[in-house]
Amino acid sequence: MKAIILFGHGARDNRWREPFDRLAALWQEQHPSTPVELAFLEMMQPSLEGAVTSLAAGGATQITVVPVFFGQGGHLRNDFPVLLEECRGKFPGIQLGATPAVGEDLAVLQAIVDFGGRNIGL
């Protein structure tokens, strides 16, 4: 079974998480047969390992991690690959992969341009 993890940075303020919760809910609404979990690098739970554990317990055998970051900064270039490899070692029966940061996708960038245009009346 395929599943997805939406992976964010995390923050001290719990309100920061609200758009991630909405994103996960939208995903689940539109793809009800593909489970989704949130995971955070720091300051929030679950961790990447916690999300993989949860999805594996639910029967997931193929998990794709989608970094919900604007770009490939130090966390994604340095910290994330280590966490992903640790999870691969702990869950050898799960196929774990990752996409680039969402902010590097042209469609995401265009959605931001469109959002800005709508909000200034263009």
Side-chain angles (χ1 to χ4, degrees), residues 56-122:
T61 57
Q62 182 180 349
I63 300 172
T64 301
V65 182
V66 177
V68 186
F69 285 67
F70 197 65
Q72 297 277 353
H75 284 311
L76 288 185
R77 282 194 314 271
N78 302 316
D79 304 327
F80 176 62
V82 171
L83 294 173
L84 192 59
E85 281 307 310
E86 287 174 359
C87 286
R88 285 180 175 140
K90 291 179 181 178
F91 301 91
I94 305 291
Q95 182 182 349
L96 281 167
T99 69
V102 296
E104 295 187 357
D105 186 273
L106 182 57
V108 172
L109 296 175
Q110 186 61 54
I112 294 168
V113 168
D114 294 345
F115 171 84
R118 281 192 314 273
N119 281 286
I120 65 169
L122 296 179

Side-chain angles (χ1 to χ4, degrees), residues 6 19-31 36 38:
L6 301 171
F20 289 85
D21 290 329
R22 288 193 305 270
L23 181 59
L26 280 170
W27 173 272
Q28 204 62 80
E29 260 178 45
Q30 295 175 31
H31 304 280
V36 62
L38 295 175

